[in-house]
Amino acid sequence: MIADSMKSFVKNSSAIRAMFEEGKKMAQEYGAENVYDFSLGNPNVPAPAEVKEAIIKELEDDDPVMLHGYMSNSGYEDVRKAVADSLNQRFGTAFHENNIVMTVGAAGGLNVILKTILNPGDQVLAIAPYFGEYNSYVANYQGEVVVVSPDTETFQPNLKELEKKITGKTKAVIVNSPNNPTGVVYSEETIKAMAGILEKKEQEFGTDIYLISDEPYRELAYDGVEVPYLTKYYKDTIVGYSFSKSLSLPGERIGYLVIPDEAADAEDLQNGANVATRILGFVNAPSLMQRAVARCLDAKADVPYYDRNRNALYQGLKDLGFSCIKPEGAFYLFVKSPVEDEKVFCEAAKKYHILIVPGSSFACPGYVRIAYCVAYETILNSMPGFEKLAEEFGLRK
Ligand code: PLP
């Protein structure tokens, strides 16, 4: 019999994944071109050409024994150095290889750092709306997620509530900008204010509060919007990065953690993350992918592709009477449901073969998430369905 704790994980298994499976079934039944699957953040643009070239070069040039072998649990030293150098060049930081731990995507990185820092009962603040998997990652180490409720005007963090919810048991705050599901980029002003609150609370409680910056969407920002690099604003910041979205490599499972020397107990954290990578069973991030991404640190995500989708979807839905804020990054639109129970709206959308995810999966009911990392035609062809929904729910008379 499976563990009781696992039973509840299975029961609450991600609504997003369930929808993805449903989409595949619908595609078989009605034809893929007649299904508008906006459920999963699975990039549909190919990885940049540099990735293929890098993989081929590694396979051709590298010693195969070394290429496919074990290495330090934190990753190849030269890869970590290349990552550190690239960050220093881009953000004016001063990282070195010991600040970098290669990870199995952002999900692997978050699990490694949470395993490293959490004692049972420690609290982790998550700012709604947030990626629902954080609940499982924190529960994996018997931590407790404390939800900071959303500011639905701006979807910037509700800092007053954040401040109130920090206690002596707060071990970390997780932020994600550009944000899944809203596409909002946390402004420099917000980050500075948040850093001030965290510093004050560290002093008040005599504790270390880590700011975990989950950044799979860093490279996906539109209209020249700057995404602040958080280690520059708050010393106890740990960055979790992923190549899943920027280089369209979600199935390859590759990313890294940045653990700066300035962070409290940095050396313990770095050693802890090394051991956590091993004992969680990852052992190390995939070796070929480590070497490949090190050659592609300057490769560019196809931002114009997503930008065209963003504009078409945003304008199309606005014209139909839906309300949402225009995303500045990532590839999601977070739309106000025309009925209070957004699950009713998501169910109704299925009639038109439109698959969208309820906001309650992101601790923000009353909204729905539409992932626009799809073909441009999918957006255009879904519009008649959205129009019928707008009529059905009284947005258009
Ligand atoms: N964090 C956020 C906010 C995400 O949206 C995702 C994936 O969608 C992840 C983490 C996990 O990313 P990865 O595929 O790199 O594990």
Side-chain angles (χ1 to χ4, degrees):
M1 213 207 280
I2 67 169
D4 295 343
S5 62
M6 204 54 216
K7 281 184 196 153
S8 73
F9 282 126
V10 173
K11 192 158 159 257
N12 301 323
S13 175
S14 166
I16 306 176
R17 284 272 159 187
M19 191 102 50
F20 181 59
E21 294 305 325
E22 200 167 343
K24 282 200 292 195
K25 258 194 225 142
M26 271 192 180
Q28 272 175 354
E29 207 172 326
Y30 306 110
E33 69 287 2
N34 299 316
V35 177
Y36 313 109
D37 187 351
F38 298 105
S39 61
L40 201 64
N42 204 5
N44 78 319
V45 299
E50 291 98 310
V51 173
K52 185 175 169 187
E53 282 159 27
I55 293 171
I56 291 171
K57 212 159 173 33
E58 284 301 329
L59 289 171
E60 283 177 353
D61 293 0
D62 244 346
D63 167 6
V65 175
M66 191 196 126
L67 178 61
H68 301 301
Y70 292 128
M71 78 303 296
S72 157
N73 300 129
S74 298
Y76 288 111
E77 274 80 6
D78 60 333
V79 170
R80 287 153 54 207
K81 181 166 183 334
V83 169
D85 289 348
S86 159
L87 292 172
N88 297 342
Q89 203 177 21
R90 289 180 65 190
F91 304 114
T93 46
F95 300 129
H96 51 86
E97 61 264 39
N98 289 347
N99 299 124
I100 310 296
V101 177
M102 300 307 292
T103 63
V104 178
L110 288 169
N111 273 278
V112 163
I113 198 60
L114 292 170
K115 169 91 177 160
T116 304
I117 63 174
L118 289 185
N119 287 311
D122 280 351
Q123 294 176 337
V124 177
L125 266 60
I127 298 161
Y130 64 87
F131 182 53
E133 294 289 88
Y134 295 161
N135 292 333
S136 312
Y137 302 163
V138 171
N140 282 344
Y141 314 104
Q142 287 85 50
E144 183 199 337
V145 170
V146 176
V147 179
V148 177
S149 54
D151 170 350
T152 52
E153 286 293 307
T154 63
F155 286 112
Q156 293 280 330
N158 181 342
L159 292 179
K160 281 211 179 87
E161 189 174 318
L162 176 94
E163 180 161 5
K164 278 203 204 116
K165 288 199 164 160
I166 295 175
T167 70
K169 287 172 93 180
T170 305
K171 198 63 178 276
V173 177
I174 305 185
V175 291
N176 164 228
S177 165
N179 182 262
N180 174 7
T182 64
V184 161
V185 173
Y186 292 176
S187 67
E188 185 179 41
E189 192 190 339
T190 299
I191 299 302
K192 282 184 176 160
M194 189 186 292
I197 292 168
L198 295 180
E199 277 159 14
K200 194 172 95 184
K201 290 290 171 183
E202 281 192 331
Q203 286 213 332
E204 182 181 330
F205 293 113
T207 52
D208 302 320
I209 304 172
Y210 294 108
L211 179 61
I212 301 175
S213 180
D214 179 27
E215 322 199 320
Y217 304 99
R218 163 163 290 283
E219 318 308 341
L220 303 180
Y222 307 106
D223 302 331
V225 166
E226 289 286 321
V227 183
Y229 205 76
L230 301 199
T231 60
K232 291 159 63 170
Y233 299 87
Y234 181 65
K235 77 173 183 58
D236 289 333
T237 299
I238 293 157
V239 176
Y241 185 86
S242 165
F243 296 93
S244 292
K245 317 288 171 164
S246 57
L247 298 185
S248 296
L249 296 173
E252 300 295 351
R253 316 304 306 132
I254 185 74
Y256 59 80
L257 286 169
V258 183
I259 306 174
D261 289 339
E262 295 74 30
D265 299 320
E267 216 179 307
D268 285 348
L269 290 180
Q270 291 155 7
N271 293 336
N274 172 290
V275 173
T277 299
R278 194 183 82 230
I279 67 179
L280 283 172
F282 301 127
V283 181
N284 54 252
S287 60
L288 175 60
M289 280 303 130
Q290 287 191 44
R291 305 219 64 86
V293 295
R295 289 178 180 269
C296 299
L297 295 170
D298 296 325
K300 294 274 171 287
D302 196 349
V303 176
Y305 180 94
Y306 295 123
D307 197 14
R308 183 165 79 140
N309 283 0
R310 173 181 76 125
N311 287 320
L313 185 64
Y314 174 75
Q315 203 51 54
L317 294 185
K318 285 292 269 193
D319 291 348
L320 292 173
F322 289 99
S323 64
C324 58
I325 54 165
K326 191 166 187 184
E328 297 178 304
F331 40 46
Y332 306 106
L333 201 67
F334 205 50
V335 180
K336 191 161 173 42
S337 165
V339 271
E340 198 181 320
D341 183 354
E342 85 281 6
K343 290 183 181 140
V344 170
F345 181 63
C346 293
E347 273 308 307
K350 285 186 196 163
K351 276 191 308 221
Y352 309 108
H353 307 163
I354 293 175
L355 296 174
I356 51 181
V357 182
S360 28
S361 299
F362 306 92
C364 190
Y367 288 79
V368 296
R369 188 192 77 172
I370 309 181
Y372 57 84
C373 44
V374 296
Y376 184 59
E377 291 66 36
T378 302
I379 293 176
L380 301 187
N381 296 339
S382 69
M383 280 301 147
F386 278 114
E387 188 169 359
K388 292 208 185 90
L389 285 167
E391 276 160 19
E392 188 177 329
F393 287 92
L395 297 175
R396 294 191 115 198
K397 302 281 177 280

